[in-house]
PDB file of all heavy atoms in Angstrom:
ATOM      1  N   ALA A 971      67.621  44.867 359.411  1.00 89.00           N
ATOM      2  CA  ALA A 971      68.839  45.658 359.220  1.00 89.00           C
ATOM      3  C   ALA A 971      69.571  45.214 357.957  1.00 89.00           C
ATOM      4  O   ALA A 971      69.619  44.030 357.646  1.00 89.00           O
ATOM      5  CB  ALA A 971      69.754  45.492 360.426  1.00 89.00           C
ATOM      6  N   PRO A 972      70.156  46.173 357.242  1.00 94.00           N
ATOM      7  CA  PRO A 972      70.939  45.775 356.068  1.00 94.00           C
ATOM      8  C   PRO A 972      72.197  45.022 356.492  1.00 94.00           C
ATOM      9  O   PRO A 972      72.753  45.286 357.553  1.00 94.00           O
ATOM     10  CB  PRO A 972      71.300  47.111 355.406  1.00 94.00           C
ATOM     11  CG  PRO A 972      71.136  48.149 356.454  1.00 94.00           C
ATOM     12  CD  PRO A 972      70.152  47.625 357.452  1.00 94.00           C
ATOM     13  N   VAL A 973      72.624  44.082 355.651  1.00 93.00           N
ATOM     14  CA  VAL A 973      73.864  43.349 355.928  1.00 93.00           C
ATOM     15  C   VAL A 973      75.056  44.064 355.292  1.00 93.00           C
ATOM     16  O   VAL A 973      76.205  43.722 355.551  1.00 93.00           O
ATOM     17  CB  VAL A 973      73.792  41.886 355.425  1.00 93.00           C
ATOM     18  CG1 VAL A 973      72.780  41.101 356.241  1.00 93.00           C
ATOM     19  CG2 VAL A 973      73.471  41.819 353.945  1.00 93.00           C
ATOM     20  N   TRP A 974      74.754  45.070 354.453  1.00 96.00           N
ATOM     21  CA  TRP A 974      75.804  45.836 353.773  1.00 96.00           C
ATOM     22  C   TRP A 974      75.210  47.189 353.406  1.00 96.00           C
ATOM     23  O   TRP A 974      74.035  47.278 353.047  1.00 96.00           O
ATOM     24  CB  TRP A 974      76.234  45.070 352.521  1.00 96.00           C
ATOM     25  CG  TRP A 974      77.375  45.669 351.774  1.00 96.00           C
ATOM     26  CD1 TRP A 974      78.699  45.352 351.901  1.00 96.00           C
ATOM     27  CD2 TRP A 974      77.303  46.674 350.746  1.00 96.00           C
ATOM     28  NE1 TRP A 974      79.443  46.103 351.021  1.00 96.00           N
ATOM     29  CE2 TRP A 974      78.608  46.916 350.314  1.00 96.00           C
ATOM     30  CE3 TRP A 974      76.263  47.390 350.167  1.00 96.00           C
ATOM     31  CZ2 TRP A 974      78.906  47.848 349.317  1.00 96.00           C
ATOM     32  CZ3 TRP A 974      76.550  48.316 349.183  1.00 96.00           C
ATOM     33  CH2 TRP A 974      77.857  48.537 348.761  1.00 96.00           C
ATOM     34  N   GLU A 975      76.038  48.251 353.503  1.00 96.00           N
ATOM     35  CA  GLU A 975      75.537  49.582 353.163  1.00 96.00           C
ATOM     36  C   GLU A 975      76.690  50.479 352.740  1.00 96.00           C
ATOM     37  O   GLU A 975      77.780  50.402 353.293  1.00 96.00           O
ATOM     38  CB  GLU A 975      74.833  50.188 354.387  1.00 96.00           C
ATOM     39  CG  GLU A 975      74.231  51.541 354.136  1.00 96.00           C
ATOM     40  CD  GLU A 975      73.363  52.021 355.304  1.00 96.00           C
ATOM     41  OE1 GLU A 975      73.163  51.263 356.270  1.00 96.00           O
ATOM     42  OE2 GLU A 975      72.900  53.155 355.226  1.00 96.00           O
ATOM     43  N   GLU A 976      76.440  51.315 351.751  1.00 95.00           N
ATOM     44  CA  GLU A 976      77.441  52.284 351.294  1.00 95.00           C
ATOM     45  C   GLU A 976      76.700  53.575 350.958  1.00 95.00           C
ATOM     46  O   GLU A 976      75.638  53.545 350.335  1.00 95.00           O
ATOM     47  CB  GLU A 976      78.162  51.730 350.064  1.00 95.00           C
ATOM     48  CG  GLU A 976      79.393  52.496 349.647  1.00 95.00           C
ATOM     49  CD  GLU A 976      80.521  52.431 350.673  1.00 95.00           C
ATOM     50  OE1 GLU A 976      80.976  51.319 350.997  1.00 95.00           O
ATOM     51  OE2 GLU A 976      80.922  53.504 351.150  1.00 95.00           O
ATOM     52  N   SER A 977      77.255  54.712 351.388  1.00 89.00           N
ATOM     53  CA  SER A 977      76.526  55.954 351.156  1.00 89.00           C
ATOM     54  C   SER A 977      77.231  56.943 350.242  1.00 89.00           C
ATOM     55  O   SER A 977      76.603  57.861 349.754  1.00 89.00           O
ATOM     56  CB  SER A 977      76.190  56.641 352.476  1.00 89.00           C
ATOM     57  OG  SER A 977      77.367  56.922 353.174  1.00 89.00           O
ATOM     58  N   LYS A 978      78.522  56.781 350.020  1.00 75.00           N
ATOM     59  CA  LYS A 978      79.115  57.670 349.023  1.00 75.00           C
ATOM     60  C   LYS A 978      80.349  57.048 348.425  1.00 75.00           C
ATOM     61  O   LYS A 978      81.060  56.292 349.094  1.00 75.00           O
ATOM     62  CB  LYS A 978      79.414  59.043 349.589  1.00 75.00           C
ATOM     63  CG  LYS A 978      80.463  59.067 350.662  1.00 75.00           C
ATOM     64  CD  LYS A 978      80.691  60.505 351.107  1.00 75.00           C
ATOM     65  CE  LYS A 978      82.014  60.607 351.792  1.00 75.00           C
ATOM     66  NZ  LYS A 978      82.073  61.325 353.010  1.00 75.00           N
ATOM     67  N   GLY A 979      80.554  57.374 347.167  1.00 65.00           N
ATOM     68  CA  GLY A 979      81.735  56.862 346.490  1.00 65.00           C
ATOM     69  C   GLY A 979      82.874  57.854 346.627  1.00 65.00           C
ATOM     70  O   GLY A 979      82.659  59.056 346.619  1.00 65.00           O
ATOM     71  N   LYS A 980      84.089  57.351 346.770  1.00 70.00           N
ATOM     72  CA  LYS A 980      85.259  58.229 346.811  1.00 70.00           C
ATOM     73  C   LYS A 980      85.485  58.840 345.439  1.00 70.00           C
ATOM     74  O   LYS A 980      86.009  59.921 345.283  1.00 70.00           O
ATOM     75  CB  LYS A 980      86.495  57.433 347.246  1.00 70.00           C
ATOM     76  CG  LYS A 980      86.395  56.875 348.646  1.00 70.00           C
ATOM     77  CD  LYS A 980      87.544  55.900 348.899  1.00 70.00           C
ATOM     78  CE  LYS A 980      87.293  55.043 350.105  1.00 70.00           C
ATOM     79  NZ  LYS A 980      86.130  54.154 349.989  1.00 70.00           N
ATOM     80  N   ASP A 981      85.101  58.103 344.424  1.00 81.00           N
ATOM     81  CA  ASP A 981      85.206  58.560 343.044  1.00 81.00           C
ATOM     82  C   ASP A 981      84.091  57.850 342.289  1.00 81.00           C
ATOM     83  O   ASP A 981      83.198  57.294 342.910  1.00 81.00           O
ATOM     84  CB  ASP A 981      86.591  58.232 342.469  1.00 81.00           C
ATOM     85  CG  ASP A 981      86.972  56.790 342.744  1.00 81.00           C
ATOM     86  OD1 ASP A 981      86.090  55.906 342.662  1.00 81.00           O
ATOM     87  OD2 ASP A 981      88.147  56.523 343.045  1.00 81.00           O
ATOM     88  N   GLU A 982      84.140  57.848 340.977  1.00 84.00           N
ATOM     89  CA  GLU A 982      83.044  57.227 340.234  1.00 84.00           C
ATOM     90  C   GLU A 982      83.390  55.827 339.742  1.00 84.00           C
ATOM     91  O   GLU A 982      82.729  55.290 338.878  1.00 84.00           O
ATOM     92  CB  GLU A 982      82.641  58.143 339.081  1.00 84.00           C
ATOM     93  CG  GLU A 982      82.367  59.542 339.596  1.00 84.00           C
ATOM     94  CD  GLU A 982      81.313  60.301 338.819  1.00 84.00           C
ATOM     95  OE1 GLU A 982      81.070  59.947 337.659  1.00 84.00           O
ATOM     96  OE2 GLU A 982      80.740  61.240 339.371  1.00 84.00           O
ATOM     97  N   LYS A 983      84.434  55.224 340.335  1.00 90.00           N
ATOM     98  CA  LYS A 983      84.857  53.892 339.908  1.00 90.00           C
ATOM     99  C   LYS A 983      83.928  52.808 340.442  1.00 90.00           C
ATOM    100  O   LYS A 983      83.295  52.963 341.475  1.00 90.00           O
ATOM    101  CB  LYS A 983      86.271  53.600 340.443  1.00 90.00           C
ATOM    102  CG  LYS A 983      87.352  54.396 339.780  1.00 90.00           C
ATOM    103  CD  LYS A 983      88.714  53.857 340.212  1.00 90.00           C
ATOM    104  CE  LYS A 983      89.817  54.582 339.493  1.00 90.00           C
ATOM    105  NZ  LYS A 983      90.710  55.313 340.385  1.00 90.00           N
ATOM    106  N   TRP A 984      83.926  51.685 339.732  1.00 92.00           N
ATOM    107  CA  TRP A 984      83.212  50.496 340.208  1.00 92.00           C
ATOM    108  C   TRP A 984      84.034  49.866 341.320  1.00 92.00           C
ATOM    109  O   TRP A 984      85.257  49.811 341.240  1.00 92.00           O
ATOM    110  CB  TRP A 984      83.028  49.506 339.061  1.00 92.00           C
ATOM    111  CG  TRP A 984      81.955  49.931 338.117  1.00 92.00           C
ATOM    112  CD1 TRP A 984      82.103  50.693 337.001  1.00 92.00           C
ATOM    113  CD2 TRP A 984      80.558  49.622 338.203  1.00 92.00           C
ATOM    114  NE1 TRP A 984      80.886  50.887 336.394  1.00 92.00           N
ATOM    115  CE2 TRP A 984      79.919  50.231 337.109  1.00 92.00           C
ATOM    116  CE3 TRP A 984      79.789  48.887 339.107  1.00 92.00           C
ATOM    117  CZ2 TRP A 984      78.555  50.135 336.895  1.00 92.00           C
ATOM    118  CZ3 TRP A 984      78.431  48.784 338.891  1.00 92.00           C
ATOM    119  CH2 TRP A 984      77.824  49.407 337.797  1.00 92.00           C
ATOM    120  N   ARG A 985      83.377  49.399 342.353  1.00 94.00           N
ATOM    121  CA  ARG A 985      84.015  48.722 343.472  1.00 94.00           C
ATOM    122  C   ARG A 985      83.376  47.342 343.640  1.00 94.00           C
ATOM    123  O   ARG A 985      82.328  47.068 343.068  1.00 94.00           O
ATOM    124  CB  ARG A 985      83.803  49.520 344.761  1.00 94.00           C
ATOM    125  CG  ARG A 985      84.279  50.951 344.650  1.00 94.00           C
ATOM    126  CD  ARG A 985      85.234  51.268 345.768  1.00 94.00           C
ATOM    127  NE  ARG A 985      85.717  52.628 345.710  1.00 94.00           N
ATOM    128  CZ  ARG A 985      86.807  53.018 345.062  1.00 94.00           C
ATOM    129  NH1 ARG A 985      87.524  52.147 344.399  1.00 94.00           N
ATOM    130  NH2 ARG A 985      87.205  54.265 345.066  1.00 94.00           N
ATOM    131  N   THR A 986      83.997  46.506 344.471  1.00 95.00           N
ATOM    132  CA  THR A 986      83.461  45.164 344.716  1.00 95.00           C
ATOM    133  C   THR A 986      82.942  45.070 346.135  1.00 95.00           C
ATOM    134  O   THR A 986      83.627  45.466 347.079  1.00 95.00           O
ATOM    135  CB  THR A 986      84.558  44.102 344.502  1.00 95.00           C
ATOM    136  OG1 THR A 986      85.025  44.215 343.159  1.00 95.00           O
ATOM    137  CG2 THR A 986      84.014  42.703 344.734  1.00 95.00           C
ATOM    138  N   GLY A 987      81.728  44.558 346.283  1.00 96.00           N
ATOM    139  CA  GLY A 987      81.152  44.289 347.600  1.00 96.00           C
ATOM    140  C   GLY A 987      81.115  42.787 347.823  1.00 96.00           C
ATOM    141  O   GLY A 987      80.924  42.017 346.874  1.00 96.00           O
ATOM    142  N   LYS A 988      81.304  42.370 349.078  1.00 97.00           N
ATOM    143  CA  LYS A 988      81.237  40.938 349.422  1.00 97.00           C
ATOM    144  C   LYS A 988      80.408  40.775 350.681  1.00 97.00           C
ATOM    145  O   LYS A 988      80.574  41.539 351.629  1.00 97.00           O
ATOM    146  CB  LYS A 988      82.634  40.381 349.706  1.00 97.00           C
ATOM    147  CG  LYS A 988      83.553  40.308 348.534  1.00 97.00           C
ATOM    148  CD  LYS A 988      84.869  39.717 348.988  1.00 97.00           C
ATOM    149  CE  LYS A 988      85.913  39.831 347.889  1.00 97.00           C
ATOM    150  NZ  LYS A 988      87.217  39.373 348.359  1.00 97.00           N
ATOM    151  N   ILE A 989      79.539  39.776 350.680  1.00 95.00           N
ATOM    152  CA  ILE A 989      78.706  39.496 351.846  1.00 95.00           C
ATOM    153  C   ILE A 989      78.723  37.999 352.108  1.00 95.00           C
ATOM    154  O   ILE A 989      78.463  37.207 351.210  1.00 95.00           O
ATOM    155  CB  ILE A 989      77.249  39.938 351.609  1.00 95.00           C
ATOM    156  CG1 ILE A 989      77.190  41.449 351.355  1.00 95.00           C
ATOM    157  CG2 ILE A 989      76.365  39.560 352.788  1.00 95.00           C
ATOM    158  CD1 ILE A 989      75.869  41.904 350.805  1.00 95.00           C
ATOM    159  N   GLU A 990      79.050  37.639 353.352  1.00 93.00           N
ATOM    160  CA  GLU A 990      78.985  36.228 353.749  1.00 93.00           C
ATOM    161  C   GLU A 990      77.529  35.894 354.076  1.00 93.00           C
ATOM    162  O   GLU A 990      76.871  36.650 354.803  1.00 93.00           O
ATOM    163  CB  GLU A 990      79.817  35.988 355.015  1.00 93.00           C
ATOM    164  CG  GLU A 990      81.274  36.384 354.880  1.00 93.00           C
ATOM    165  CD  GLU A 990      82.162  35.254 354.425  1.00 93.00           C
ATOM    166  OE1 GLU A 990      81.660  34.133 354.199  1.00 93.00           O
ATOM    167  OE2 GLU A 990      83.368  35.487 354.292  1.00 93.00           O
ATOM    168  N   ILE A 991      77.041  34.808 353.539  1.00 89.00           N
ATOM    169  CA  ILE A 991      75.693  34.336 353.858  1.00 89.00           C
ATOM    170  C   ILE A 991      75.828  32.993 354.559  1.00 89.00           C
ATOM    171  O   ILE A 991      76.259  32.018 353.949  1.00 89.00           O
ATOM    172  CB  ILE A 991      74.836  34.198 352.579  1.00 89.00           C
ATOM    173  CG1 ILE A 991      74.734  35.542 351.844  1.00 89.00           C
ATOM    174  CG2 ILE A 991      73.450  33.658 352.926  1.00 89.00           C
ATOM    175  CD1 ILE A 991      74.001  35.447 350.513  1.00 89.00           C
ATOM    176  N   PHE A 992      75.525  32.979 355.849  1.00 87.00           N
ATOM    177  CA  PHE A 992      75.589  31.735 356.616  1.00 87.00           C
ATOM    178  C   PHE A 992      74.182  31.173 356.721  1.00 87.00           C
ATOM    179  O   PHE A 992      73.284  31.843 357.217  1.00 87.00           O
ATOM    180  CB  PHE A 992      76.160  31.990 358.020  1.00 87.00           C
ATOM    181  CG  PHE A 992      77.569  32.496 357.995  1.00 87.00           C
ATOM    182  CD1 PHE A 992      77.845  33.821 358.294  1.00 87.00           C
ATOM    183  CD2 PHE A 992      78.622  31.662 357.648  1.00 87.00           C
ATOM    184  CE1 PHE A 992      79.148  34.306 358.255  1.00 87.00           C
ATOM    185  CE2 PHE A 992      79.926  32.134 357.609  1.00 87.00           C
ATOM    186  CZ  PHE A 992      80.187  33.451 357.918  1.00 87.00           C
ATOM    187  N   GLN A 993      73.993  29.970 356.248  1.00 82.00           N
ATOM    188  CA  GLN A 993      72.684  29.331 356.292  1.00 82.00           C
ATOM    189  C   GLN A 993      72.547  28.529 357.572  1.00 82.00           C
ATOM    190  O   GLN A 993      73.390  27.691 357.856  1.00 82.00           O
ATOM    191  CB  GLN A 993      72.523  28.373 355.100  1.00 82.00           C
ATOM    192  CG  GLN A 993      72.704  29.038 353.768  1.00 82.00           C
ATOM    193  CD  GLN A 993      71.522  29.902 353.409  1.00 82.00           C
ATOM    194  OE1 GLN A 993      71.210  30.876 354.060  1.00 82.00           O
ATOM    195  NE2 GLN A 993      70.844  29.526 352.364  1.00 82.00           N
ATOM    196  N   GLY A 994      71.480  28.792 358.303  1.00 80.00           N
ATOM    197  CA  GLY A 994      71.158  27.957 359.456  1.00 80.00           C
ATOM    198  C   GLY A 994      70.179  26.891 358.997  1.00 80.00           C
ATOM    199  O   GLY A 994      70.243  26.416 357.863  1.00 80.00           O
ATOM    200  N   ALA A 995      69.261  26.544 359.872  1.00 74.00           N
ATOM    201  CA  ALA A 995      68.212  25.597 359.480  1.00 74.00           C
ATOM    202  C   ALA A 995      67.291  26.258 358.451  1.00 74.00           C
ATOM    203  O   ALA A 995      66.803  25.628 357.526  1.00 74.00           O
ATOM    204  CB  ALA A 995      67.416  25.171 360.699  1.00 74.00           C
ATOM    205  N   GLU A 996      67.070  27.585 358.628  1.00 76.00           N
ATOM    206  CA  GLU A 996      66.285  28.330 357.639  1.00 76.00           C
ATOM    207  C   GLU A 996      67.244  28.886 356.594  1.00 76.00           C
ATOM    208  O   GLU A 996      68.268  29.455 356.937  1.00 76.00           O
ATOM    209  CB  GLU A 996      65.576  29.516 358.297  1.00 76.00           C
ATOM    210  CG  GLU A 996      64.360  29.148 359.089  1.00 76.00           C
ATOM    211  CD  GLU A 996      63.666  30.394 359.624  1.00 76.00           C
ATOM    212  OE1 GLU A 996      63.638  31.417 358.914  1.00 76.00           O
ATOM    213  OE2 GLU A 996      63.168  30.324 360.749  1.00 76.00           O
ATOM    214  N   THR A 997      66.892  28.734 355.328  1.00 75.00           N
ATOM    215  CA  THR A 997      67.783  29.240 354.295  1.00 75.00           C
ATOM    216  C   THR A 997      67.315  30.606 353.797  1.00 75.00           C
ATOM    217  O   THR A 997      66.134  30.914 353.829  1.00 75.00           O
ATOM    218  CB  THR A 997      67.855  28.272 353.098  1.00 75.00           C
ATOM    219  OG1 THR A 997      66.545  28.103 352.575  1.00 75.00           O
ATOM    220  CG2 THR A 997      68.426  26.935 353.505  1.00 75.00           C
ATOM    221  N   THR A 998      68.279  31.395 353.362  1.00 79.00           N
ATOM    222  CA  THR A 998      67.980  32.689 352.769  1.00 79.00           C
ATOM    223  C   THR A 998      67.369  32.429 351.400  1.00 79.00           C
ATOM    224  O   THR A 998      67.940  31.698 350.604  1.00 79.00           O
ATOM    225  CB  THR A 998      69.290  33.496 352.598  1.00 79.00           C
ATOM    226  OG1 THR A 998      69.884  33.646 353.878  1.00 79.00           O
ATOM    227  CG2 THR A 998      69.034  34.850 351.984  1.00 79.00           C
ATOM    228  N   ASN A 999      66.216  33.034 351.126  1.00 85.00           N
ATOM    229  CA  ASN A 999      65.599  32.785 349.816  1.00 85.00           C
ATOM    230  C   ASN A 999      65.610  34.001 348.914  1.00 85.00           C
ATOM    231  O   ASN A 999      65.146  33.940 347.793  1.00 85.00           O
ATOM    232  CB  ASN A 999      64.178  32.239 349.980  1.00 85.00           C
ATOM    233  CG  ASN A 999      63.273  33.215 350.702  1.00 85.00           C
ATOM    234  OD1 ASN A 999      63.689  34.317 351.048  1.00 85.00           O
ATOM    235  ND2 ASN A 999      62.047  32.808 350.929  1.00 85.00           N
ATOM    236  N   SER A1000      66.162  35.125 349.406  1.00 90.00           N
ATOM    237  CA  SER A1000      66.304  36.277 348.521  1.00 90.00           C
ATOM    238  C   SER A1000      67.314  37.274 349.066  1.00 90.00           C
ATOM    239  O   SER A1000      67.596  37.312 350.260  1.00 90.00           O
ATOM    240  CB  SER A1000      64.955  36.966 348.297  1.00 90.00           C
ATOM    241  OG  SER A1000      64.554  37.634 349.468  1.00 90.00           O
ATOM    242  N   VAL A1001      67.858  38.055 348.146  1.00 92.00           N
ATOM    243  CA  VAL A1001      68.753  39.163 348.457  1.00 92.00           C
ATOM    244  C   VAL A1001      68.136  40.391 347.804  1.00 92.00           C
ATOM    245  O   VAL A1001      67.730  40.327 346.643  1.00 92.00           O
ATOM    246  CB  VAL A1001      70.160  38.920 347.869  1.00 92.00           C
ATOM    247  CG1 VAL A1001      71.048  40.134 348.070  1.00 92.00           C
ATOM    248  CG2 VAL A1001      70.798  37.687 348.480  1.00 92.00           C
ATOM    249  N   THR A1002      68.041  41.501 348.543  1.00 95.00           N
ATOM    250  CA  THR A1002      67.450  42.716 347.998  1.00 95.00           C
ATOM    251  C   THR A1002      68.483  43.829 347.958  1.00 95.00           C
ATOM    252  O   THR A1002      69.129  44.121 348.963  1.00 95.00           O
ATOM    253  CB  THR A1002      66.242  43.163 348.840  1.00 95.00           C
ATOM    254  OG1 THR A1002      65.277  42.115 348.860  1.00 95.00           O
ATOM    255  CG2 THR A1002      65.597  44.414 348.260  1.00 95.00           C
ATOM    256  N   PHE A1003      68.635  44.448 346.781  1.00 96.00           N
ATOM    257  CA  PHE A1003      69.467  45.639 346.612  1.00 96.00           C
ATOM    258  C   PHE A1003      68.529  46.837 346.684  1.00 96.00           C
ATOM    259  O   PHE A1003      67.606  46.946 345.872  1.00 96.00           O
ATOM    260  CB  PHE A1003      70.195  45.601 345.268  1.00 96.00           C
ATOM    261  CG  PHE A1003      71.291  44.583 345.215  1.00 96.00           C
ATOM    262  CD1 PHE A1003      71.021  43.268 344.869  1.00 96.00           C
ATOM    263  CD2 PHE A1003      72.597  44.932 345.533  1.00 96.00           C
ATOM    264  CE1 PHE A1003      72.033  42.313 344.829  1.00 96.00           C
ATOM    265  CE2 PHE A1003      73.614  43.980 345.504  1.00 96.00           C
ATOM    266  CZ  PHE A1003      73.328  42.668 345.147  1.00 96.00           C
ATOM    267  N   GLU A1004      68.746  47.712 347.665  1.00 96.00           N
ATOM    268  CA  GLU A1004      67.868  48.859 347.872  1.00 96.00           C
ATOM    269  C   GLU A1004      68.631  50.153 347.617  1.00 96.00           C
ATOM    270  O   GLU A1004      69.691  50.384 348.185  1.00 96.00           O
ATOM    271  CB  GLU A1004      67.343  48.854 349.307  1.00 96.00           C
ATOM    272  CG  GLU A1004      66.446  50.033 349.644  1.00 96.00           C
ATOM    273  CD  GLU A1004      66.019  50.014 351.099  1.00 96.00           C
ATOM    274  OE1 GLU A1004      66.796  50.489 351.959  1.00 96.00           O
ATOM    275  OE2 GLU A1004      64.921  49.500 351.371  1.00 96.00           O
ATOM    276  N   SER A1005      68.090  50.982 346.767  1.00 96.00           N
ATOM    277  CA  SER A1005      68.664  52.291 346.475  1.00 96.00           C
ATOM    278  C   SER A1005      67.814  53.353 347.147  1.00 96.00           C
ATOM    279  O   SER A1005      66.589  53.355 346.989  1.00 96.00           O
ATOM    280  CB  SER A1005      68.657  52.498 344.956  1.00 96.00           C
ATOM    281  OG  SER A1005      68.944  53.834 344.655  1.00 96.00           O
ATOM    282  N   GLU A1006      68.454  54.228 347.924  1.00 95.00           N
ATOM    283  CA  GLU A1006      67.739  55.350 348.534  1.00 95.00           C
ATOM    284  C   GLU A1006      68.191  56.638 347.869  1.00 95.00           C
ATOM    285  O   GLU A1006      69.377  56.921 347.789  1.00 95.00           O
ATOM    286  CB  GLU A1006      68.009  55.422 350.036  1.00 95.00           C
ATOM    287  CG  GLU A1006      67.289  56.583 350.697  1.00 95.00           C
ATOM    288  CD  GLU A1006      67.580  56.710 352.188  1.00 95.00           C
ATOM    289  OE1 GLU A1006      68.022  55.712 352.796  1.00 95.00           O
ATOM    290  OE2 GLU A1006      67.373  57.797 352.728  1.00 95.00           O
ATOM    291  N   ARG A1007      67.238  57.413 347.405  1.00 94.00           N
ATOM    292  CA  ARG A1007      67.529  58.663 346.707  1.00 94.00           C
ATOM    293  C   ARG A1007      68.129  59.686 347.674  1.00 94.00           C
ATOM    294  O   ARG A1007      67.653  59.837 348.793  1.00 94.00           O
ATOM    295  CB  ARG A1007      66.210  59.200 346.133  1.00 94.00           C
ATOM    296  CG  ARG A1007      66.222  60.645 345.702  1.00 94.00           C
ATOM    297  CD  ARG A1007      66.572  60.752 344.240  1.00 94.00           C
ATOM    298  NE  ARG A1007      66.037  61.959 343.644  1.00 94.00           N
ATOM    299  CZ  ARG A1007      66.620  63.144 343.661  1.00 94.00           C
ATOM    300  NH1 ARG A1007      67.769  63.304 344.285  1.00 94.00           N
ATOM    301  NH2 ARG A1007      66.078  64.170 343.061  1.00 94.00           N
ATOM    302  N   GLY A1008      69.196  60.342 347.228  1.00 92.00           N
ATOM    303  CA  GLY A1008      69.820  61.394 348.024  1.00 92.00           C
ATOM    304  C   GLY A1008      69.368  62.767 347.563  1.00 92.00           C
ATOM    305  O   GLY A1008      68.364  62.904 346.866  1.00 92.00           O
TER     306      GLY A1008
END
């Protein structure tokens, strides 16, 4: 499952996204930005 998702902009301005990454015993080794064509 994605940890963050956005499907439409209110306008064409740049916005800021924030994601908390909590490391357990296993560490996150990558972040993927996925674009789906509309």
Side-chain angles (χ1 to χ4, degrees):
V973 292
W974 185 95
E975 182 171 355
E976 191 66 59
S977 59
K978 65 178 200 226
K980 297 170 196 64
D981 48 39
E982 308 211 338
K983 289 190 176 118
W984 284 91
R985 305 234 180 270
T986 301
K988 292 181 189 175
I989 299 167
E990 303 268 0
I991 301 175
F992 297 107
Q993 303 286 63
E996 283 184 37
T997 59
T998 301
N999 61 2
S1000 71
V1001 174
T1002 301
F1003 289 86
E1004 178 183 83
S1005 168
E1006 180 182 340
R1007 164 93 154 85

